[in-house]
């Protein structure tokens, strides 16, 4: 067995892994990046990028349907699944080529193969052993299912849904979180009948309740049906359809069932526990610096408990590379990580919900303000409703920023700065937001909380 020595060996080439590789290389480290599939991982090839390409195609379809409302004559004929696939795959291929070139230009050694952590902290790939002074585990996540619910045939995960060569006539989506509502949005725009089943009382249940209710209202207007607050019991399929039964006996039937109940960590059978790396419910246990219990072994991304977001993985990968190089890097709290659901309308948030703020500071210690996008000129122009909600400590800093409406994901960075810098609305109110932009809606909320509303009473 051949042995190859590096400063840093990274197992997994997804968002966290390749970010760690790029930053470690910048800092002068000799890096090996081991990936069993393609560098870029789920986000680039089967997640973030291809699904957002689908959502853009869906947005275009909706715009064509409504073109007459803005004085443009256009006729919607059909969605061409082959054309959408070609568009989506072209974007992924271009991004992948660029990433491959970047990795190569940084002098990173890419190892194609399935790696396994050995007891001596090396990573074994086939007949080769890769030894690093530091090892970074970044093996990513997989689509979960539920006990007794077997994936196959008409029962799909998000990866299978991307591979469909047709627009289904009807779909049941099990799970009303981010993945579920994004696919619901796409398929409805493409012409499918969609029903979401969510066991919790609201769609996107981790969001502020005002955002959840806003999305539910918007989906009702779009004709997207949903069942909330009742758990899934069984699913049966035949050659023609899938039938889902809930615990209360309610039954739904459709052409396909998409299982969107979350993602689990890819850690099983990779030698982690045998090497001394602790696992809890399959996730790697780490300290606040992302170190495992084994000196010199770190973990980043979806295998670390917390938000499963590509940008969180990027941040963690960069931070670990810098810590390996001896730099002192702070760890931002999870609440400061922006979260975006790219449905139509979008939901974006950062910080804590009003409910969490009240729990932490008491009802008398929290003030919130909601600004309706009906008062925002740019939102009216692009035809979106929605709202901006800002939560603050009474006479204190901004604790949370929550938005719903088309394209509001582009606004969340300003919210992140306000929350992370513990800004008071009075600090932000003097700053000027360009007119007409949707960002003015966020500015209006800050103005109102500072006691000087402009376009609101």
């Amino acid at each position: 067995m051949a042995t190859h020595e590096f400063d840093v060996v990274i197992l997994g080439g997804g968002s966290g892994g390749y970010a760690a590789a790029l930053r470690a290389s910048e800092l002068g480290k000799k890096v090996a990046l081991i990936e069993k599939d393609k560098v870029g991982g789920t986000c680039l090839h089967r997640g973030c990028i291809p699904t957002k390409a689908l959502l853009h195609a869906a947005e275009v379809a909706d715009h064509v349907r409504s073109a007459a409302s803005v004085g443009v004559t256009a006729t919607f004929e059909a969605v061409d699944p082959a054309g959408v696939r070609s568009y989506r795959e072209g974007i992924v291929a271009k991004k992948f080529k660029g990433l491959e070139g970047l990795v190569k230009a940084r002098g990173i050694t890419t190892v194609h193969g399935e790696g396994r952590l050995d007891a001596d902290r090396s990573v074994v790939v086939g007949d080769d052993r890769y030894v690093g002074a530091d090892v970074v585990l970044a093996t990513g996540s997989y689509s979960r299912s539920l006990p007794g619910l077997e994936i196959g045939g008409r029962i799909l995960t998000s990866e299978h849904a991307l591979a469909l060569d047709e627009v289904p006539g009807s779909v049941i989506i099990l799970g009303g979180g981010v993945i579920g509502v994004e696919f619901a949005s796409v398929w409805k725009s493409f012409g499918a009948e969609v029903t979401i089943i969510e066991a919790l009382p609201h769609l996107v249940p981790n969001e502020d309740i005002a955002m959840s209710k806003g999305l539910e209202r918007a989906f009702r207007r779009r004709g997207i049906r949903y069942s909330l607050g009742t758990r899934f019991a069984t699913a049966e399929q035949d050659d023609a359809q899938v039938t889902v039964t809930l615990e209360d006996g309610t039954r739904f039937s459709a052409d396909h069932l998409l299982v969107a109940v979350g993602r689990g960590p890819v850690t099983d059978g990779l030698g982690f526990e045998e090497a001394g790396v602790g696992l809890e419910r399959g996730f790697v246990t780490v300290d606040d610096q992302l170190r495992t219990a084994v000196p010199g072994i770190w973990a980043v991304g979806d295998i670390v408990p917390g938000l499963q977001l590509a940008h969180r993985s990027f941040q963690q990968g960069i931070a670990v590379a810098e810590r390996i190089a001896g730099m002192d890097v702070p760890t931002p709290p999870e609440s400061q990580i922006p979260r975006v659901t790219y449905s139509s309308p979008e939901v974006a948030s950062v910080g804590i919900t009003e409910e969490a703020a009240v729990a932490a500071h008491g009802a008398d210690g929290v003030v919130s303000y909601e600004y309706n996008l009906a008062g925002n000129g740019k939102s009216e122009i692009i035809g979106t409703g929605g709202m901006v909600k800002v939560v603050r400590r009474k006479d204190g800093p901004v604790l949370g920023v929550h938005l719903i409406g088309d394209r509001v994901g582009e606004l969340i960075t300003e919210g992140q700065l306000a929350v992370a810098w513990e800004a008071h609305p009075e600090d932000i109110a003097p700053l000027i937001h360009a007119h007409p932009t949707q960002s003015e809606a966020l500015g209006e909320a800050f103005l109102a909380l500072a006691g000087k509303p402009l376009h609101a009473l």
Side-chain angles (χ1 to χ4, degrees):
M1 179 176 286
T3 299
H4 311 271
E5 296 187 358
F6 292 83
D7 297 320
V8 183
V9 173
I10 301 169
L11 180 56
S15 302
Y18 84 69
L22 292 173
R23 185 63 179 133
S25 177
E26 285 180 344
L27 293 169
K29 302 294 184 180
K30 182 182 178 183
V31 180
L33 181 62
I34 299 167
E35 171 55 49
K36 66 179 181 181
D37 190 6
K38 293 180 179 179
V39 172
T42 296
C43 178
L44 175 55
H45 299 285
R46 298 173 299 281
C48 318
I49 300 301
T51 56
K52 277 52 182 182
L54 282 183
L55 283 155
H56 178 64
E59 181 184 37
V60 171
D62 288 336
H63 283 174
V64 174
R65 288 189 184 98
S66 63
S69 67
V70 297
V72 175
T73 300
T75 302
F76 178 81
E77 295 182 3
V79 172
D80 173 15
V84 173
R85 178 192 285 261
S86 177
Y87 157 69
R88 185 190 79 228
E89 291 179 347
I91 290 174
V92 171
K94 185 175 181 180
K95 298 293 103 181
F96 177 50
K97 184 177 180 180
L99 179 58
E100 280 191 312
L102 185 60
V103 169
K104 183 178 180 180
R106 295 279 173 83
I108 296 164
T109 299
T110 302
V111 180
H112 297 285
E114 192 162 344
R116 188 179 189 279
L117 186 64
D118 210 350
D120 64 358
R121 295 177 56 255
S122 65
V123 178
V124 177
V125 183
D127 294 329
D128 293 283
R129 184 181 300 275
Y130 295 85
V131 178
D134 287 274
V135 175
V136 180
L137 306 178
T139 45
S141 61
Y142 68 94
S143 293
R144 286 188 186 274
S145 186
L146 295 176
L149 183 56
E150 186 175 347
I151 303 298
R154 295 180 175 273
I155 302 176
L156 317 171
T157 66
S158 58
E159 291 88 350
H160 301 124
L162 282 171
L164 282 179
D165 57 4
E166 63 179 2
V167 176
S170 58
V171 186
I172 299 166
I173 298 175
L174 185 58
V178 174
I179 295 172
V181 301
E182 287 185 354
F183 270 98
S185 190
V186 167
W187 276 325
K188 185 61 181 179
S189 296
F190 283 178
E193 291 300 315
V194 180
T195 301
I196 303 171
I197 296 170
E198 170 55 54
L200 294 174
H202 292 286
L203 297 179
V204 288
N206 292 327
E207 298 292 343
D208 188 277
I209 188 66
M211 303 301 110
S212 294
K213 289 182 176 179
L215 184 64
E216 289 160 17
R217 288 191 295 269
F219 272 19
R220 277 198 304 271
R221 289 193 294 268
R222 294 188 60 192
I224 297 173
R225 296 186 293 268
Y226 47 84
S227 169
L228 303 174
T230 304
R231 297 173 65 88
F232 162 87
T234 63
E236 300 173 343
Q237 64 174 309
D238 56 29
D239 292 340
Q241 64 181 9
V242 179
T243 298
V244 172
T245 303
L246 305 186
E247 288 185 346
D248 66 0
T250 305
R251 292 164 66 88
F252 301 92
S253 295
D255 294 340
H256 295 282
L257 168 64
L258 171 64
V259 181
V261 294
R263 299 184 64 83
V266 176
T267 55
D268 189 42
L270 297 179
F272 291 0
E273 288 186 293
E274 293 86 341
V277 173
L279 298 180
E280 183 175 348
R281 296 181 298 108
F283 290 94
V284 177
T285 55
V286 294
D287 64 11
D288 63 356
Q289 299 293 295
L290 299 169
R291 292 176 294 221
T292 72
V294 181
I297 299 183
W298 312 71
V300 301
D302 286 0
I303 61 173
V304 175
L307 295 169
Q308 292 179 314
L309 298 169
H311 44 283
R312 171 183 181 258
S313 299
F314 290 146
Q315 187 274 336
Q316 289 184 343
I318 293 167
V320 162
E322 292 178 345
R323 288 165 185 156
I324 287 171
M327 301 170 67
D328 184 14
V329 182
T331 300
E334 294 269 302
S335 63
Q336 291 180 11
I337 300 172
R339 308 170 294 275
V340 184
T341 301
Y342 295 90
S343 52
S344 178
E346 291 182 353
V347 178
S349 60
V350 67
I352 61 176
T353 66
E354 183 173 10
E355 182 181 22
V358 168
H361 305 291
D364 293 337
V366 174
V367 179
S368 68
Y369 181 79
E370 296 179 4
Y371 180 81
N372 196 306
L373 291 187
N376 177 253
K378 186 59 180 288
S379 296
E380 185 73 19
I381 289 167
I382 67 174
T384 186
M387 75 169 73
V388 169
K389 179 175 181 176
V390 177
V391 181
R392 73 173 296 184
R393 285 282 303 272
K394 186 176 181 179
D395 299 323
V398 174
L399 301 174
V401 174
H402 310 276
L403 310 97
I404 182 169
D406 290 340
R407 306 184 188 178
V408 297
E410 300 298 332
L411 308 181
I412 200 58
T413 297
E414 180 179 346
Q416 181 190 29
L417 294 175
V419 171
W421 288 346
E422 298 183 343
H424 291 221
E426 292 81 2
D427 299 326
I428 304 170
L431 303 179
I432 299 170
H433 292 78
H435 176 75
T437 64
Q438 283 187 289
S439 70
E440 287 180 285
L442 195 50
E444 292 280 355
F446 290 134
L447 282 168
L449 284 174
K452 48 181 181 181
L454 181 59
H455 293 98
L457 297 176

